[in-house]
Amino acid sequence: MATTFILKAPSIPVTLPDGLSEDQLLAFAPFNNWLKTLNRSLSLQRRNPAHPFHADPYALRGIAVQSFDRFGGGAASRLGFVKLVADVANAAGEKLPGSVFLRGPSVAMLVMLLPDDLSPLGAKENRDKGEEEERYVVLTVQPRVPAGSLEFVELPAGMVDGGSFAGTAAQEIREELGLEIPASELRCLSDMATVAITSSSKDGGGESEALPNAMYPSAGGCDEHILIYMHERRVPRDQLQEWTGKLTGLRDHGEKITLKLVRMRDLWREGARDAKCLAAVALWEGLRREGRL
């Protein structure tokens, strides 16, 4: 049986499905982060006379949680996904699309490998050409049921936790390549790119919506935002040659995830179905053009 409680800020009704409590929803970080970001964006309408919605601003008038998924079992069970509809309308009764799938942020890792004997000396064009030919990127191949695929090729995804890149993909990289990727050796391409556009994204009143410095793969329906990190590692040439011959993306019987090495110049093609790949290529190439990498 559905229940309703009144949110404190803003004071609006929130309807919950059977099995989900007020405390559980309010402890779900993706819900709180989404609500905080939306409230800030809505507040800018009133504060800034130049805002396109200033004359008749939209407001959040109610939230209806339709469903939820939990991860784990027993005492370790935690809220994983939440599907809700936000009622966002102005005084004239005009509404904005408000179907939202909440799952929170994640990270993607552009792991690039180069032979350690590649000379850093010489003319820039020659150096870049050499790196272009011998720069490899690590991809994962694994089932992705939401995409209807059992062998989806993508950039490794996971989280930065406990001082290093973590998650299933990170574990596979560690087991197959023996590479531990510490947080101190990561560069956040998302941060490097969005710093440059912060001023241009501000509204006329000098305030921005304060969205995370990340890529939104499906902003029309999901709050997920992905930070793109880069890690570059030089390895012995014979080791790199061994990996390129071995890591072709073909899996052994029953193996759920494996690795694939591709040249950086081919990443846009090899990962064309993966938004993380395409975002990483765009950020890396753009920052290189500006001389920031």
Side-chain angles (χ1 to χ4, degrees):
M1 180 177 178
T3 59
T4 300
F5 72 93
I6 303 301
L7 199 64
K8 292 182 179 179
S11 180
I12 59 171
V14 178
T15 302
L16 301 174
D18 186 36
L20 181 64
S21 70
E22 174 183 347
D23 289 344
Q24 290 170 340
L25 180 65
L26 296 182
F28 187 47
F31 175 78
N32 292 318
N33 293 336
W34 164 78
L35 185 62
K36 179 181 178 181
T37 302
L38 177 61
N39 282 337
R40 174 176 172 79
S41 297
L42 291 172
S43 71
L44 296 179
Q45 302 170 105
R46 298 181 183 278
R47 295 205 299 268
N48 177 17
H51 196 287
F53 300 147
H54 179 74
D56 190 4
Y58 289 90
L60 179 60
R61 304 181 185 278
I63 297 172
V65 178
Q66 297 176 319
S67 62
F68 61 95
D69 287 326
R70 295 186 184 279
F71 295 162
S77 174
R78 62 183 177 86
L79 204 56
F81 298 145
V82 168
K83 169 65 172 62
L84 62 80
V85 174
D87 182 8
V88 181
N90 60 15
E94 298 173 333
K95 293 190 175 186
L96 299 177
S99 293
V100 183
F101 178 65
L102 295 176
R103 60 168 297 160
S106 61
V107 306
M109 190 68 60
L110 180 63
V111 179
M112 294 185 288
L113 305 175
L114 294 91
D116 60 0
D117 60 356
L118 189 66
S119 174
L121 304 176
K124 181 179 184 301
E125 57 271 20
N126 293 334
R127 185 168 69 249
D128 289 348
K129 182 177 179 181
E131 289 186 0
E132 181 75 12
E133 290 295 322
E134 300 193 82
R135 184 184 296 271
Y136 286 84
V137 175
V138 179
L139 298 177
T140 60
V141 181
Q142 61 186 313
R144 289 299 192 189
V145 173
S149 173
L150 298 182
E151 48 185 22
F152 197 79
V153 179
E154 61 183 305
L155 215 60
M159 64 201 81
V160 177
D161 183 43
S164 63
F165 179 48
T168 303
Q171 180 179 342
E172 184 71 9
I173 290 173
R174 185 165 55 250
E175 292 177 355
E176 291 284 352
L177 306 183
L179 298 181
E180 186 81 36
I181 304 178
S184 60
E185 295 181 13
L186 300 178
R187 302 186 72 178
C188 186
L189 302 184
S190 299
D191 279 344
M192 295 174 69
T194 50
V195 163
I197 65 170
T198 297
S199 59
S200 64
S201 67
K202 291 182 178 179
D203 56 51
E207 295 181 90
S208 71
E209 290 190 329
L211 296 178
N213 296 340
M215 179 270 291
Y216 284 75
S218 187
C222 184
D223 74 315
E224 181 183 22
H225 47 282
I226 304 172
L227 289 101
I228 309 294
Y229 285 90
M230 182 193 84
H231 174 75
E232 185 174 292
R233 182 76 63 94
R234 287 179 176 260
V235 299
R237 180 177 291 276
D238 56 352
Q239 180 68 81
L240 184 56
Q241 290 174 343
E242 178 186 338
W243 286 343
T244 56
K246 173 185 174 184
L247 302 177
T248 61
L250 298 177
R251 289 172 291 176
D252 293 333
H253 180 71
E255 190 175 24
K256 291 182 179 178
I257 180 172
T258 191
L259 302 181
K260 181 178 183 178
L261 282 186
V262 302
R263 292 184 188 274
M264 179 62 192
R265 68 182 185 188
D266 298 325
L267 182 58
W268 67 273
R269 181 187 300 109
E270 295 279 353
R273 291 187 177 90
D274 179 38
K276 303 184 299 299
C277 270
L278 299 182
V281 169
L283 290 172
W284 186 77
E285 291 185 348
L287 290 167
R288 292 257 291 189
R289 281 196 301 271
E290 293 190 354
R292 299 172 62 192
L293 281 178

